[in-house]
Amino acid sequence: MSALRKKFGDDYQVVTTSSSGSGFIQPPPEKKRKRQRFVDKNGRCNVQHGNLGGETSRYLSDLFTTLVDLKWRWNLFIFILTYTVAWLFMASMWWCIAYIRGDLYKVHSDKYTPCVANVYNFPSAFLFFIETEATIGYGYRYITDKCPEGIILFLFQSILGSIVDAFLIGCMFIKMSQPKKRAETLMFSEHAVISMRDGKLTLMFRVGNLRNSHMVSAQIRCKLLKSRQTPEGEFLPLDQLELDVGFSTGADQLFLVSPLTICHVIDTKSPFFELSQRSMQTEQFEIVVILEGIVETTGMTCQARTSYTEDEVLWGHRFYPVISLEEGFFKVDYSQFHATFEVPTPPYSVKEQEEALLLSSPLMAPSLCNSGDKNSSLDCLETLEDNDSTTKLPTKLQKITGREGLPKKLLRMSSTTSEMTYNFGDLPMKLQRISSVPGVSDDKLMGKASKITETMSKSVADLPPKLQRLSGGGGGRMDGHLPPKLRKMNSDRFT
């Protein structure tokens, strides 16, 4: 505790969570009325299929999978029942052959050769079948060559016994080697937490692997189960939404050697964008966590599941560190795996924080110009630049730039050296259209150009000396960038 406070400060308070067999107790937060879960903490799904009608025959079409999915008690019952029925049936067939041939009454005759030697009642026929099926072969009971029906039954018994052995023993082997029990050694934290990480509000939970054998290609996914109503009025009781836990960055691919903290950043794309500490008191949701990987020892795919309801999400908490460096190795303290401690966390949702940031920002007004249209964005930019430059110019220059009819683009070019150079395309659109129309006289075009040049020269002459030097001394540089024909007409006009 002292080391934790020294590292994180006195404001942090350690809170441990209750865990079965973990040896530590935490008083859980005040819980609401317990409600039905979709997925239990151990990963079992609380779903039952009913009113199947005639669809139950589909289970018999995949009998092997049906037997594997059954509980162990039913598997053992079917295993014992199948062998018992098969043994009794085949023993009865051998007894019927002996009964029909009269071997039961002539067994003690030295001159009579029975179908099966030393089979004179049902127990002896049952023992002969067991010796044959189990390949024990004591040698006291054996089949003779005077019984063709016995030879046929012997072949049928061998084939049927092989099929039953392969089916039932294979079913038991698959059920024993299922990787479901491997999921018992994959550990999830009992609570999920919400706190700040890297300056962002983040939902976090912890996963761990209790075995030394690794999970190959481990991947984690999260689903948010929440009821909602569509704009069309349709009610979805268990709507599934994806929670991004690093799919875009590859963080969902885990190297699960030591306990890892899985993070979901709450942003504008997150379903928790409007979730706040206050709204968690009324919200109802369930976070389903699915961890998949390949068992290193068997090569089989394993899946572990758990879930967190809204009352199992702690706002303003962080997980206690469990990894420490020892002499030559890293030690994981699983006694603190579920432990959390409180950290300062804003109780507001990300949406509320962004709205508050916009209201407090002095640049909120330009946001009104945000638009997807390029032309409108340029207009807003010109408006902002004009307002900003006009307020910074002297009063006389503001009067010139705002009331004398000088084009705005030319004003911006005359204010900075980087915007002095312009070409024919920067002239007013009306003049460009006039110059591009065939048949327009040069006198008319010259008059338009001289009028603009006089206005620009007058405006530049009224500027302060420093701005006059930047503007090129009365427009000489401006004329230098006009087309040759227009520059010649303009020079002849002034001459």
Side-chain angles (χ1 to χ4, degrees):
M1 174 71 73
S2 59
L4 181 66
R5 289 183 175 176
K6 182 178 179 181
K7 182 177 180 180
F8 296 101
D10 295 334
D11 295 336
Y12 299 122
Q13 177 182 358
V14 175
V15 180
T16 57
T17 59
S18 60
S19 175
S20 56
S22 58
F24 51 89
I25 301 175
Q26 174 207 354
E30 185 178 353
K31 295 184 178 180
K32 299 179 291 186
R33 184 175 61 87
K34 185 177 180 180
R35 63 180 182 87
Q36 183 64 41
R37 306 175 71 105
F38 186 74
V39 178
D40 287 337
K41 297 294 287 184
N42 59 3
R44 186 179 66 88
C45 298
N46 294 321
V47 178
Q48 293 185 0
H49 303 282
N51 298 327
L52 295 177
E55 303 297 332
T56 53
S57 60
R58 296 175 180 265
Y59 290 98
L60 297 178
S61 62
D62 189 12
L63 184 59
F64 184 82
T65 305
T66 302
L67 292 177
V68 173
D69 289 340
L70 290 176
K71 296 182 180 297
W72 267 108
R73 53 179 175 266
W74 292 109
N75 270 275
L76 293 176
F77 174 76
I78 293 174
F79 186 87
I80 296 173
L81 180 64
T82 302
Y83 273 106
T84 303
V85 171
W87 291 346
L88 292 176
F89 173 75
M90 295 305 301
S92 300
M93 295 295 293
W94 287 111
W95 181 84
C96 288
I97 291 177
Y99 177 78
I100 293 172
R101 288 175 54 89
D103 297 346
L104 301 179
Y105 307 103
K106 302 177 182 179
V107 66
H108 299 291
S109 177
D110 296 336
K111 297 181 180 180
Y112 179 76
T113 304
C115 181
V116 180
N118 299 317
V119 173
Y120 45 85
N121 54 17
F122 183 79
S124 61
F126 184 80
L127 289 175
F128 170 73
F129 166 75
I130 293 298
E131 292 175 11
T132 305
E133 179 67 22
T135 64
I136 296 174
Y138 291 114
Y140 182 68
R141 297 177 181 89
Y142 56 91
I143 190 171
T144 64
D145 56 353
K146 301 297 183 180
C147 182
E149 61 271 21
I151 297 175
I152 296 175
L153 182 60
F154 177 79
L155 296 176
F156 177 75
Q157 171 188 328
S158 300
I159 295 173
L160 180 63
S162 299
I163 294 175
V164 173
D165 290 344
F167 189 83
L168 292 181
I169 295 176
C171 176
M172 297 295 290
F173 175 77
I174 292 297
K175 189 162 185 66
M176 286 187 296
S177 61
Q178 272 187 320
K180 288 184 178 180
K181 293 301 179 181
R182 178 64 174 89
E184 299 292 337
T185 54
L186 295 175
M187 202 172 184
F188 296 92
S189 59
E190 288 191 347
H191 291 81
V193 298
I194 295 179
S195 60
M196 301 298 293
R197 171 174 280 198
D198 296 330
K200 299 178 181 179
L201 196 64
T202 307
L203 170 71
M204 295 174 284
F205 58 91
R206 180 179 277 172
V207 297
N209 182 15
L210 301 181
R211 289 187 180 273
N212 291 327
S213 59
H214 300 169
M215 292 290 295
V216 182
S217 301
Q219 183 179 13
I220 195 164
R221 295 180 292 122
C222 290
K223 295 286 185 180
L224 175 65
L225 304 182
K226 185 179 179 181
S227 60
R228 71 180 182 91
Q229 189 172 7
T230 63
E232 294 79 14
E234 181 184 5
F235 179 73
L236 304 177
L238 291 174
D239 186 34
Q240 298 187 11
L241 300 175
E242 188 75 20
L243 291 181
D244 187 8
V245 289
F247 177 78
S248 58
T249 60
D252 59 331
Q253 304 290 333
L254 307 181
F255 182 52
L256 196 57
V257 179
S258 61
L260 299 176
T261 301
I262 310 301
C263 301
H264 165 68
V265 178
I266 302 178
D267 52 13
T268 56
K269 299 180 180 179
S270 172
F272 294 133
F273 180 60
E274 300 181 3
L275 182 67
S276 63
Q277 186 177 12
R278 182 182 64 260
S279 63
M280 284 185 60
Q281 307 300 324
T282 57
E283 288 283 346
Q284 285 192 355
F285 59 85
E286 185 172 352
I287 303 172
V288 179
V289 181
I290 304 172
L291 175 61
E292 293 180 339
I294 300 174
V295 182
E296 187 180 32
T297 53
T298 62
M300 303 181 70
T301 302
C302 173
Q303 184 181 97
R305 297 182 296 267
T306 191
S307 68
Y308 301 98
T309 56
E310 67 280 353
D311 55 350
E312 294 173 344
V313 179
L314 306 179
W315 190 282
H317 283 238
R318 186 183 300 167
F319 286 108
Y320 195 93
V322 294
I323 301 178
S324 60
L325 179 60
E326 302 293 337
E327 295 182 1
F329 63 92
F330 292 91
K331 182 180 179 181
V332 179
D333 184 10
Y334 277 99
S335 64
Q336 302 294 335
F337 183 83
H338 303 281
T340 63
F341 59 94
E342 295 181 356
V343 293
T345 304
Y348 307 105
S349 65
V350 177
K351 180 179 180 181
E352 293 173 346
Q353 295 180 29
E354 290 186 356
E355 290 177 351
L357 183 62
L358 288 176
L359 291 175
S360 61
S361 176
L363 299 178
M364 185 186 67
S367 64
L368 299 176
C369 295
N370 292 336
S371 174
D373 186 34
K374 183 177 180 181
N375 294 331
S376 61
S377 301
L378 292 175
D379 294 341
C380 292
L381 181 61
E382 290 181 0
T383 303
L384 293 174
E385 290 180 354
D386 294 339
N387 294 338
D388 184 68
S389 59
T390 304
T391 54
K392 292 181 179 180
L393 291 176
T395 306
K396 184 176 181 180
L397 190 56
Q398 291 182 28
K399 181 178 179 180
I400 296 175
T401 58
R403 294 180 175 84
E404 294 298 329
L406 193 62
K408 298 178 180 180
K409 187 171 289 189
L410 297 181
L411 283 174
R412 289 199 302 272
M413 287 189 295
S414 63
S415 61
T416 58
T417 58
S418 62
E419 297 178 351
M420 280 297 300
T421 305
Y422 67 101
N423 52 22
F424 184 72
D426 292 327
L427 292 176
M429 295 299 299
K430 186 175 180 180
L431 185 57
Q432 294 183 31
R433 289 195 298 268
I434 294 174
S435 61
S436 60
V437 175
V440 178
S441 62
D442 293 343
D443 295 338
K444 185 176 182 180
L445 185 62
M446 180 188 61
K448 293 286 184 178
S450 60
K451 182 178 181 181
I452 293 176
T453 306
E454 291 174 0
T455 305
M456 293 171 60
S457 301
K458 179 181 178 181
S459 301
V460 172
D462 292 334
L463 292 175
K466 187 175 181 179
L467 292 181
Q468 290 184 24
R469 289 195 299 271
L470 292 176
S471 62
R477 294 175 60 183
M478 237 177 289
D479 290 342
H481 290 281
L482 290 177
K485 184 176 180 180
L486 186 59
R487 186 168 61 247
K488 180 180 179 182
M489 290 188 295
N490 195 20
S491 61
D492 294 340
R493 172 70 176 174
F494 285 105
T495 305

